[in-house]
Amino acid sequence: KATPTIDTTILRQATEALIKHHKSKAESSKSLLGDEEGIIVAFSLLKYRISIPHALVDRSDVEVCLIVKQESKEWVEEMIDQYSEYMKCVKKVIGLDNLRKNYGRYDQRRELLSSYDLFLADDRIIPMLRSALGNKFIERKKFPVPLKLTKKEVLP
């Protein structure tokens, strides 16, 4: 299977056009304070996988805990086994019911917090995780990052 490529000339032309538009808009406003607005560019690559040269975490040594709805746990584990080359950093999959039952006490949640580098969670259960995990996850900046596990086209 050939790796798809992204036409860099189109990306370059698009970003240059965006910068040109931004400069012309800034020149026409002529604010006394010189307030400049920043540019935020977001690329959506649903069908492509790209490697990021300077990622926030190194995939080879990070340990990830994935929190999912209890009924989704089985197929998520199957998916991790099927795509183990991409998802070898996911060390544990916890269902929400198991999280509440097995990590109900403060010391158990603190142990869970220190066991993993990164926490990911199904976006459908994010509102329920604050009470299930507690404030220490927020204080240590390890509150789970939401994932859309329901969109099949985003998954590997």
Side-chain angles (χ1 to χ4, degrees), residues 121-135:
D122 190 342
D123 65 335
R124 299 173 290 176
I125 63 168
I126 288 290
M128 297 170 255
L129 287 179
R130 184 173 178 117
S131 63
L133 294 174
N135 288 332

Side-chain angles (χ1 to χ4, degrees), residues 81-96:
D81 291 339
Q82 185 179 0
Y83 298 101
S84 60
E85 122 182 37
Y86 298 112
M87 305 178 93
K88 61 185 171 202
C89 58
V90 178
K91 303 297 182 197
K92 185 166 185 118
V93 178
I94 302 175
L96 183 60

